[in-house]
Amino acid sequence: MLPIIYKDTFWLWTPQKQMAVRLAGHYWVGKGRRRRKLCLFFSETPNEITKTGVLAFCKSPNRIEMHKKCQKGIDFMVDMLYSEDAKTIKKMQGGDIMASIKDIAKACGVSVATVSKALNGHNDISQATKEKVRETARQIGYMPNSAARALKTNRTYNLGVLFVDEAQSGLTHEFFAAVLDSFKRHAEGRGYDITFINHNIGHGHSSYLEHCRYRGVDGVIAACIKFDDPEVIELANSNLPIVTVDHVFNNRAAVLSDNTDGVHKLVDQLAALGHERIAYIHGENHSAVTQKRLVGFYRACAAHGITVPDAYIVPSTYRDAKSCAAATRQLLALPQRPTAILFPDDFSAIGGIQTIREEGLLIPRDISVAGYDGNLISQIMSPQLTTYRQDTEALGRAAAELLIEQIESPRTALPEQKLISGSLLKGQSVDVPNL
């Protein structure tokens, strides 16, 4: 009797066992009235993040009786995925024959073990053999079975992305989109896929942690999220590997743009030109990024002997041109207006610059302005915006490295916080003050 391996897997819920199980395949055992279906599952218990192969007797579609955890049985079922007999197993739709690694081994004249090592890039296999095996696999249409690999490695090679910003800009957010693009490319280079994490499982509501368990992700990157959200804190306190962007949880990995140094460099540039009346429109007060940038601003002003009136510090919202326009109008209405304004980011600067022009002022003759992020929009403005470029490529790469290290080397990985420096981009939006 051949095992039936499903092309797609199915999630079932067993309240008696408090276990969500994903059905991957089955195998009939016994005869007559003692005939039973031996099923292969991935399990996801509330207290266990990692997937566990479980063998169960399925007596009816609505009843699952746990039999035992049996690694030998799991290995048998996984091996059957690659067996010669598996050639006769057809996909659920289309009727195409599934190629196996035994087909590759037979065509190349090598062992199944050699094929497996070659496909996984082991160093004890020659480059010539690797290329021959991979080319043969391509020719016969072989595709590795993700369910089998997950059972063998206890990993799904799937990383979750938790990305929500207050402006609901999604992937149009230039900075975070660039960070996540870098993260995605470097994760894919290590053999991982990514899945976006949200509150929905089907038509029901779930917490972020529940969605991570439902999707079976090996780890999560969290970016541009309300880090004081109880559900985010729950995720950070779980045993699921996580790396955060521009926020630090206790004993958790993080990648951080050097926001303190970034604003410090912008103030240094303005002070060097003779500016002493420098205003700062900043983002949300609850943000750790905002707090670090404010520290950098005050430190730089103190270093240059510049006094900052309270009226020169105006709260706004990141990536919100309208909010920045209103804050700019507030500064321009002061009896002694600033000679230079720092905007919270390059996108918000659009609103501030428009307001300055509406007041009949010229940049930089009448007032100097600077942005933050260093994205494309800052370089095509007229005049070209002086800004601080955050190194999104390095941030994404570091996030992928930290997260994958936690997944693949949990005993030796440390919860590091990597600080990534950026660079000052000098444009034409700043000049000596017009006093």
Side-chain angles (χ1 to χ4, degrees):
M1 181 66 67
L2 297 176
I4 303 301
I5 306 301
Y6 302 143
K7 175 186 175 183
D8 299 311
T9 54
F10 306 91
W11 284 96
L12 305 173
W13 176 248
T14 58
Q16 296 84 357
K17 297 295 178 181
Q18 290 296 297
M19 179 179 290
V21 293
R22 183 171 53 163
L23 186 58
H26 72 255
Y27 187 71
W28 290 100
V29 296
K31 295 181 180 180
R33 297 181 65 181
R34 297 183 63 84
R35 181 176 169 84
R36 295 290 184 269
K37 184 188 289 186
L38 186 62
C39 296
L40 179 64
F41 296 95
F42 290 128
S43 71
E44 192 71 71
T45 67
N47 298 320
E48 183 179 358
I49 294 298
T50 58
K51 278 61 62 182
T52 305
V54 176
L55 291 174
F57 283 115
C58 196
K59 293 185 176 180
S60 71
N62 298 319
R63 182 182 177 190
I64 297 177
E65 178 183 337
M66 301 308 300
H67 180 51
K68 62 180 179 179
K69 292 183 179 180
C70 177
Q71 190 61 47
K72 183 177 180 181
I74 294 167
D75 290 340
F76 165 75
M77 185 68 79
V78 172
D79 289 341
M80 290 301 290
L81 289 169
Y82 300 111
S83 70
E84 187 70 22
D85 290 335
K87 289 172 60 180
T88 64
I89 301 172
K90 296 187 176 182
K91 295 181 180 179
M92 296 179 67
Q93 296 178 350
D96 298 330
I97 301 299
M98 300 170 63
S100 71
I101 62 173
K102 278 198 171 184
D103 297 325
I104 304 173
K106 186 176 181 180
C108 295
V110 297
S111 68
V112 171
T114 298
V115 171
S116 178
K117 289 182 178 181
L119 291 175
N120 288 288
H122 288 211
N123 294 328
D124 56 343
I125 303 297
S126 69
Q127 188 61 34
T129 301
K130 289 179 184 178
E131 292 175 0
K132 181 180 179 181
V133 167
R134 289 169 182 168
E135 177 60 22
T136 302
R138 186 190 66 79
Q139 290 177 358
I140 68 175
Y142 168 78
M143 289 294 293
N145 186 287
S146 60
R149 182 173 69 164
L151 285 177
K152 283 289 190 181
T153 63
N154 204 28
R155 295 200 299 269
T156 62
Y157 289 87
N158 191 17
L159 304 178
V161 174
L162 181 54
F163 172 61
V164 181
D165 68 312
E166 293 193 13
Q168 298 295 308
S169 54
L171 290 179
T172 62
H173 194 300
E174 296 85 356
F175 169 67
F176 284 105
V179 172
L180 293 178
D181 179 67
S182 173
F183 174 83
K184 174 179 176 290
R185 285 186 283 104
H186 287 94
E188 288 175 342
R190 298 282 294 273
Y192 288 82
D193 295 321
I194 66 169
T195 296
F196 280 87
I197 301 302
N198 54 52
H199 280 305
N200 301 314
I201 297 179
H203 297 292
H205 178 88
S206 67
S207 69
Y208 293 131
L209 180 57
E210 287 171 340
H211 197 181
C212 287
R213 287 173 172 169
Y214 172 70
R215 292 298 180 188
V217 298
D218 294 327
V220 177
I221 177 176
C224 198
I225 190 78
K226 286 186 176 180
F227 289 102
D228 57 352
D229 185 330
E231 290 190 3
V232 178
I233 295 173
E234 177 192 34
L235 180 61
N237 290 335
S238 73
N239 59 349
L240 186 67
I242 186 173
V243 61
T244 53
V245 179
D246 275 341
H247 186 86
V248 178
F249 282 111
N250 184 40
N251 205 36
R252 283 302 205 174
V255 291
L256 309 164
S257 182
D258 197 343
N259 288 287
T260 303
D261 182 66
V263 173
H264 202 300
K265 279 185 167 60
L266 289 170
V267 174
D268 288 344
Q269 173 71 5
L270 293 169
L273 293 171
H275 287 276
E276 294 183 352
R277 302 204 305 267
I278 305 173
Y280 183 29
I281 301 174
H282 61 77
E284 295 87 346
N285 280 312
H286 63 75
S287 168
V289 170
T290 298
Q291 298 306 315
K292 290 175 182 177
R293 291 184 186 180
L294 280 169
V295 168
F297 178 79
Y298 282 118
R299 283 181 179 177
C301 289
H304 292 285
I306 297 173
T307 301
V308 183
D310 291 341
Y312 278 15
I313 306 299
V314 183
S316 182
T317 305
Y318 288 115
R319 208 179 181 280
D320 187 338
K322 289 184 178 180
S323 176
C324 188
T328 302
R329 192 171 291 108
Q330 179 179 329
L331 288 171
L332 296 181
L334 292 173
Q336 188 176 50
R337 71 174 184 231
T339 59
I341 300 176
L342 297 183
F343 295 124
D345 55 76
D346 297 340
F347 185 88
S348 298
I350 297 173
I353 290 172
Q354 182 62 29
T355 298
I356 290 171
R357 288 172 174 166
E358 289 173 355
E359 295 293 322
L361 301 174
L362 295 178
I363 300 171
R365 190 194 69 181
D366 299 319
I367 190 167
S368 294
V369 297
Y372 205 98
D373 284 344
N375 55 40
L376 178 61
I377 197 170
S378 69
Q379 302 307 295
I380 60 176
M381 285 182 180
S382 180
Q384 191 178 69
L385 188 64
T386 292
T387 185
Y388 182 81
R389 173 180 286 166
Q390 302 192 76
D391 194 340
T392 55
E393 175 66 23
L395 285 164
R397 180 178 63 249
E401 290 172 351
L402 285 174
L403 187 56
I404 293 173
E405 183 184 12
Q406 292 179 70
I407 295 167
E408 297 184 352
S409 306
R411 293 183 178 180
T412 58
L414 291 173
E416 296 181 59
Q417 287 87 46
K418 287 192 175 182
L419 190 64
I420 308 296
S421 297
S423 57
L424 182 69
L425 293 182
K426 296 181 180 180
Q428 287 82 48
S429 64
V430 300
D431 202 348
V432 294
N434 184 11
L435 301 175

